[in-house]
Amino acid sequence: MSLIAQIQAVRGMNDVLPADVGLWQRLEAVARELLEAYGYAEIRVPVVEHTELFERAIGEHTDVVEKEMYTFVDQGDESLTLRPEATAGIVRAVIGNGMLRGQRHKLWCTGPMFRHEKPQKGRFRQFHQIDVEAVGFPGPDVDAELIALTARLWRRLGVERVALQLNSLGTAESRRAYRTALADYFRAHESRLDADSRRRLDANPLRILDSKSPEMQELVAGAPVLTDHLDAESRAHFDALRAALDSMGVDYRVNPRLVRGLDYYSRTVFEWVTDALGSQDAVCGGGRYDGLIGQLGGEATPAMGFALGMERTIELLRQAPGQSGARSPHVYVIVSGERVATGLKVIESLRDALPQLRFELSLGGGNFKSQFRRADRSGAELAIVLGEEELGRGAAALKPLRQGTGQSECPLAELSERILAALGAERGSRHANGGRGGSIGG
Ligand code: HAM
């Protein structure tokens, strides 16, 4: 045992190991394809922003800004923060790059976010989001389309244990009326408030509804609901959104308690929740933020967006049947110890001829028995054997690894065709046995 102390990863910040990377790549690929199909363009914004951006956008009395930001002063004496979410940075970029001026933008981005939360299952300090923003659209059509996009994403990924919750927070004015009603209610029960909530009573009583403390839940459950204080326009917006979701067959439940943890929302808010991840039940959430762009110094522009939590989605993918993160090679190449150079030449020309396939060469050699063992463990469907005798005849042997058929031989010149034929047969037989098929290269 080494006496040198190991350096640990930072708590709440995870490595994604090769066995899982396939699941991440699948999520990224499916999301990218879907977002492009809906007309969204990728934008990439910095991981670090001025602290003030998040204070002004997310709200000073939110958990995120009060307790969870990774904030530091850099060598130039500037207060900077690792982004806890992407919306504020994207809005800053849209304003700063002169992209408004009455224009509309459909944008998405992906990457790590940072929140100093208490790490637990499904909750981390570095986590990843796929974030989507539609800027310049008053809705409710875009609200409905974005929600339909998320529903389609779950279908494409084969994720089933998710349910949609919907609410409207109304306009700033109707929220003000509601705030007064809410503050009156909580003030009447002040002795039952925890310290955080007491502090927020005057500053932002809406945040009390978002309290995670178990003792507060009963009190929160009895509080007045915002839906009763909606202004006429917000109500019409909400009704139109619901009619659109109904017409598309997107199921949802109106949850009048859904307020979201960030201050910039107005009107539509939504969240996809799951019962498969314990207490961290939100997989994807968002809403309309019609006031934020003006609040950050841009010309008043309505906007709507959402973010999907990638770690939580990956966990759901892992639980879905028939999913695996590992990416096995299609073909494992076994080569005789003296013929390594020939082996490399053959495998490189196979990579030229069949770029859609994954080949793995038995690097490091060893006897045929141990090479076959490695071939088996690799998960490959087919082994190619480049033995001394076969190569002497200008040939190679093929051995299917996942079914009983024996070894056969073919001239090197025909190898690529024979590989395709053998993989086709292998897939056909697995299909017949009820296994998961799929196109070559998938
Ligand atoms: P959010 O609800 O704070 O919204 O985060 C969105 C998703 O990120 C959550 O539903 C969850 O899946 C994931 N998430 C949040 N915190 C953690 C964590 N500590 N560990 C693991 N996953 C986490 C936003 O961030 C808004 N910017 C969404 C938005 C975009 N609204 C409008 N546009």
Side-chain angles (χ1 to χ4, degrees):
M1 206 178 76
S2 166
L3 293 174
I4 300 173
Q6 283 179 26
I7 297 178
Q8 308 289 324
V10 177
R11 197 160 118 80
M13 306 207 180
N14 301 311
D15 304 306
V16 177
L17 298 178
D20 263 356
V21 157
L23 287 176
W24 282 79
Q25 289 174 339
R26 197 163 94 75
L27 171 57
E28 285 156 6
V30 170
R32 181 180 294 269
E33 188 182 88
L34 198 61
L35 287 161
E36 276 170 12
Y38 277 76
Y40 284 78
E42 187 178 354
I43 182 170
R44 301 184 183 190
V45 292
V47 170
V48 177
E49 299 273 359
H50 291 290
T51 304
E52 190 190 352
L53 173 70
F54 301 117
E55 288 170 351
R56 270 167 60 187
I58 297 172
E60 291 191 57
H61 299 285
T62 55
D63 274 353
V64 173
V65 170
E66 273 186 352
K67 307 180 197 167
E68 296 168 2
M69 294 209 298
Y70 279 90
T71 296
F72 60 97
V73 176
D74 80 349
Q75 290 83 338
D77 245 356
E78 290 199 275
S79 176
L80 303 178
T81 293
L82 299 186
R83 64 178 178 199
E85 57 111 52
T87 311
I90 292 177
V91 167
R92 192 240 348 107
V94 166
I95 299 172
N97 290 291
M99 291 165 71
L100 288 173
R101 307 205 181 102
Q103 294 180 67
R104 313 199 292 185
H105 298 281
K106 292 159 90 177
L107 304 169
W108 71 275
C109 90
T110 183
M113 311 292 154
F114 303 84
R115 296 184 193 177
H116 196 273
E117 295 194 74
K118 202 167 173 214
Q120 52 177 268
K121 186 177 154 89
R123 191 204 277 171
F124 309 105
R125 289 180 172 170
Q126 173 178 298
F127 60 97
H128 297 74
Q129 288 184 344
I130 293 171
D131 182 277
V132 182
E133 311 291 354
V135 174
F137 300 86
D141 49 1
V142 77
D143 307 15
E145 193 189 51
L146 272 178
I147 292 173
L149 186 162
T150 54
R152 186 179 297 282
L153 181 64
W154 304 132
R155 286 200 297 280
R156 289 225 178 143
L157 290 169
V159 166
E160 285 174 354
R161 285 175 70 178
V162 286
L164 176 62
Q165 297 194 355
L166 202 61
N167 194 20
S168 174
L169 301 183
T171 57
E173 296 81 62
S174 61
R175 233 177 10 265
R176 220 166 288 137
Y178 175 59
R179 256 173 78 147
T180 312
L182 207 56
D184 290 347
Y185 169 81
F186 284 122
R187 200 160 287 121
H189 298 90
E190 203 166 340
S191 57
R192 290 169 64 193
L193 296 181
D194 61 13
D196 266 352
S197 303
R198 210 163 293 158
R199 210 160 25 82
R200 288 170 177 171
L201 190 52
D202 293 315
N204 192 350
L206 231 85
R207 286 275 74 88
I208 302 180
L209 295 179
D210 197 36
S211 164
K212 290 169 191 149
S213 134
E215 306 86 67
M216 292 281 304
Q217 296 313 307
E218 197 187 326
L219 191 60
V220 166
V225 293
L226 205 148
T227 337
D228 295 340
H229 293 79
L230 276 193
D231 56 285
E233 245 182 84
S234 295
R235 178 158 300 285
H237 189 114
F238 196 45
D239 289 346
L241 166 62
R242 293 179 57 177
L245 292 176
D246 291 340
S247 86
M248 292 185 290
V250 177
D251 289 335
Y252 59 85
R253 182 172 82 78
V254 174
N255 174 4
R257 293 279 167 231
L258 179 66
V259 292
R260 310 267 306 128
L262 315 159
D263 270 356
Y264 49 61
Y265 293 109
S266 56
R267 294 201 171 141
T268 309
V269 288
F270 73 96
E271 221 160 68
W272 284 95
V273 296
T274 179
D275 60 3
L277 296 177
S279 61
Q280 302 310 305
D281 63 350
V283 193
C284 170
R288 183 156 278 290
Y289 49 96
D290 293 340
L292 179 63
I293 297 177
Q295 200 181 307
L296 292 178
E299 64 199 68
T301 307
M304 159 87 184
F306 70 84
L308 167 147
M310 295 180 77
E311 281 78 1
R312 293 180 192 177
T313 305
I314 296 287
E315 200 48 48
L316 292 179
L317 281 181
R318 208 194 306 281
Q319 292 177 14
Q323 309 265 359
S324 154
R327 273 219 167 217
S328 305
H330 295 103
V331 180
Y332 196 92
V333 180
I334 290 172
V335 63
S336 138
E338 293 76 51
R339 304 301 290 265
V340 174
T342 316
L344 281 164
K345 185 175 152 212
V346 170
I347 196 172
E348 285 305 309
S349 63
L350 287 173
R351 289 188 209 277
D352 284 338
L354 303 169
Q356 72 275 36
L357 294 189
R358 294 185 292 275
F359 290 93
E360 186 167 332
L361 180 60
S362 178
L363 295 170
N367 62 32
F368 275 180
K369 196 168 164 212
S370 67
Q371 290 199 50
F372 264 112
R373 219 177 297 128
R374 284 205 294 260
D376 251 341
R377 273 203 306 263
S378 76
E381 295 167 35
L382 184 68
I384 304 289
V385 187
L386 302 174
E388 199 59 57
E389 283 175 28
E390 289 91 345
L391 285 174
R393 290 193 288 273
L398 283 82
K399 181 164 182 9
L401 292 169
R402 310 284 150 214
Q403 55 182 15
T405 12
Q407 196 162 309
S408 61
E409 196 173 301
C410 89
L412 285 174
E414 291 166 23
L415 194 50
S416 55
E417 278 160 52
R418 286 287 299 278
I419 288 173
L420 280 183
L423 288 178
E426 172 98 338
R427 274 155 203 271
S429 83
R430 282 202 303 160
H431 239 3
N433 295 334
R436 250 164 54 90
S439 63
I440 288 177

